[in-house]
Amino acid sequence: VDLVESGGGLVPPGGSLTLSCATSGFPFEVFTLAWARQAPGTGREWVSVIDSTGTRANYADSVKGRFTISRDNAKKRLYLQMDNLESEDTGVYYCARAPDATLQFNYRNLDEYDWWGRGTQVTVSS
């Protein structure tokens, strides 16, 4: 199993970025996936989740209305479109796999996820 994030970088406040998570080693289309982030000096926090079919998603209140999670099951890729970025969005962003196909678990609890990528740095600064 492997998850590799990309697309991070430096962006000014109000800007946009799209993160991508390339996966391999497991049947992508039957697993729920998520994004989490870790700001400097803080713990990792859950950001968003999407079910195996891509029809159901949920977001942390801090990013709701600004971030959009999506997935391409044919390409085995997970995405996070981030708009109207704020300095508080700075951190390392990780994709993660849950041993579930639905959202019928405590997806806000990061202990529920069984595989993680190595992260990509997002810095929001002028």
Side-chain angles (χ1 to χ4, degrees), residues 86-104:
E86 305 169 351
S87 58
E88 291 79 11
D89 297 317
T90 293
V92 179
Y93 283 69
Y94 301 88
C95 59
R97 188 191 81 168
D100 201 294
T102 72
L103 299 188
Q104 300 304 312

Side-chain angles (χ1 to χ4, degrees), residues 7-126:
L10 173 64
V11 61
S16 297
L17 277 177
T18 300
L19 304 184
S20 179
C21 175
T23 73
S24 61
F26 66 98
F28 181 87
E29 66 277 7
V30 301
F31 286 91
T32 290
L33 298 168
W35 289 97
R37 66 186 181 186
Q38 186 165 15
T42 70
R44 200 172 294 191
E45 66 167 342
W46 172 78
V47 171
S48 183
V49 65
I50 189 167
D51 72 354
S52 61
T53 65
T55 56
R56 293 182 179 272
N58 218 326
Y59 300 89
D61 287 345
S62 58
V63 307
K64 198 171 294 183
R66 299 187 298 120
F67 290 12
T68 304
I69 191 171
S70 63
R71 61 190 293 160
D72 186 330
N73 284 358
K75 295 183 178 178
K76 301 184 184 298
R77 280 184 175 259
L78 175 71
Y79 302 98
L80 186 68
Q81 173 68 40
M82 306 186 294
D83 297 317
N84 194 19
L85 283 160
E86 305 169 351
S87 58
E88 291 79 11
D89 297 317
T90 293
V92 179
Y93 283 69
Y94 301 88
C95 59
R97 188 191 81 168
D100 201 294
T102 72
L103 299 188
Q104 300 304 312
F105 66 102
N106 186 3
Y107 49 77
R108 289 179 171 84
N109 181 355
L110 298 182
D111 291 337
E112 296 285 341
Y113 297 90
D114 60 356
W115 284 96
W116 290 82
R118 290 170 283 280
T120 185
Q121 176 70 46
V122 172
T123 303
V124 184
S125 175
S126 55

